[in-house]
Amino acid sequence: MCETTDGFKLANVDLELRGPGALAGTAQAGHRAGLLVADLLADAELMHAARADAQQMLAADPHLLRRPTLRAEVERALGEDAHYLRRS
């Protein structure tokens, strides 16, 4: 970490060392981010594509009213942190 001042490189090293923390909510660090099959570093390209798809889906149906099963799964997965979705 002493070899660079590049914030992106430092963030990647921090991610490797401490883990991602929570994707939603307030947890700052740790290896329990709720991701059971994804690796934030190795799967970055796939996650960017998934994010773009999710943004497109939410633009068309912000409250997922046409996708109640997906809405229930998102709320179940996020638990008490689901309220963070309603803020944006």
Side-chain angles (χ1 to χ4, degrees), residues 5 24-27 31 37 46 56 65-66 71-72 82-83:
T5 58
T26 58
H31 293 281
V37 295
L46 176 62
Q56 189 175 33
L65 297 177
R66 292 184 299 236
R71 179 186 173 106
H83 69 278

Side-chain angles (χ1 to χ4, degrees), residues 20-21 23 31-40 43 47 73 76-77:
L23 294 178
H31 293 281
R32 300 186 66 123
L35 293 176
L36 301 177
V37 295
D39 179 313
L40 289 178
D43 299 327
M47 287 188 285
E73 285 297 315
R76 185 187 64 76

Side-chain angles (χ1 to χ4, degrees), residues 3-44:
E3 296 175 6
T4 185
T5 58
D6 182 324
F8 291 106
K9 289 180 182 177
L10 292 171
N12 279 341
V13 170
D14 182 57
L15 180 61
E16 290 174 12
L17 293 174
R18 296 190 315 146
L23 294 178
T26 58
Q28 294 294 310
H31 293 281
R32 300 186 66 123
L35 293 176
L36 301 177
V37 295
D39 179 313
L40 289 178
L41 294 173
D43 299 327

